[in-house]
């Protein structure tokens, strides 16, 4: 019985997620790849706490903002961990110039960027994030074509009603090509 309940929730959550616009394609679970994230407009909120202590408050701020401004939810949700920050991508139908910063939410424009990405399955927690980040750092250390340009970020694809064992996420580390002198 529990299996059918979880399966039903997963189907509902999958259906709801398919209604959302995706900012870029997912990285397959377990795959490591270099990918380009397109330029985007986002809304952001921050906290002085660690992300896994503050994420519910951050989500509520952003969700209130999109509700108040009649903005459709998009995927993924992006997060920085320490100090905490959460970012919602704005869909292509949003009139960006009609939006304004609030006390809790700011508007951000990100340029196109290149990241080293790994696809992850499982609950959104520090353990899964740290394991994926460490895998990417090991991968970077064993090659000479790319170098990190910033800290890792969490990329979350599923909403809160998706069971943890089915959730999809990614960890991204921004990268740039290594100088030719380092490439052998």
């Amino acid at each position: 019985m529990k299996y059918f309940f979880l399966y039903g929730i997963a189907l509902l959550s999958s259906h709801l997620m398919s209604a959302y616009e995706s900012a870029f394609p997912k990285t397959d679970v377990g795959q490591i790849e270099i990918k380009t994230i397109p330029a985007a407009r986002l809304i952001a909120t921050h906290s002085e706490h660690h992300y896994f202590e503050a994420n519910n408050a951050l989500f509520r701020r952003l969700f209130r903002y999109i509700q108040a401004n009649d903005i459709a939810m998009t995927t993924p949700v992006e997060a920085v961990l320490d100090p905490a920050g959460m970012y919602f991508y704005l869909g292509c139908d949003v009139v960006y110039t009609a939006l304004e910063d609030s006390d809790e939410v700011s508007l951000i424009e990100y340029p196109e960027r290149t990241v080293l990405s790994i696809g992850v399955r499982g609950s959104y927690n520090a353990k899964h994030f740290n394991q994926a980040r460490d895998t990417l750092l090991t991968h970077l250390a064993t090659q000479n074509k790319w170098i990190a340009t910033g800290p890792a970020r969490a990329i979350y694809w599923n909403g809160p009603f998706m069971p943890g064992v089915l959730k999809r996420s990614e960890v991204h580390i921004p990268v740039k090509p290594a100088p030719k002198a380092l490439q052998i």
Side-chain angles (χ1 to χ4, degrees), residues 5-6 8-10 12-14 16 20 158-164 166-167:
F5 175 73
L6 290 175
I9 289 175
L12 175 62
S13 184
S14 175
L16 292 173
Y20 301 155
N158 300 113
F161 300 113
M162 177 70 75
L166 300 176
K167 286 186 176 185

Side-chain angles (χ1 to χ4, degrees), residues 114 147-151 173-176:
T114 303
I147 57 173
T149 61
I173 295 178
V175 293
K176 68 178 182 182

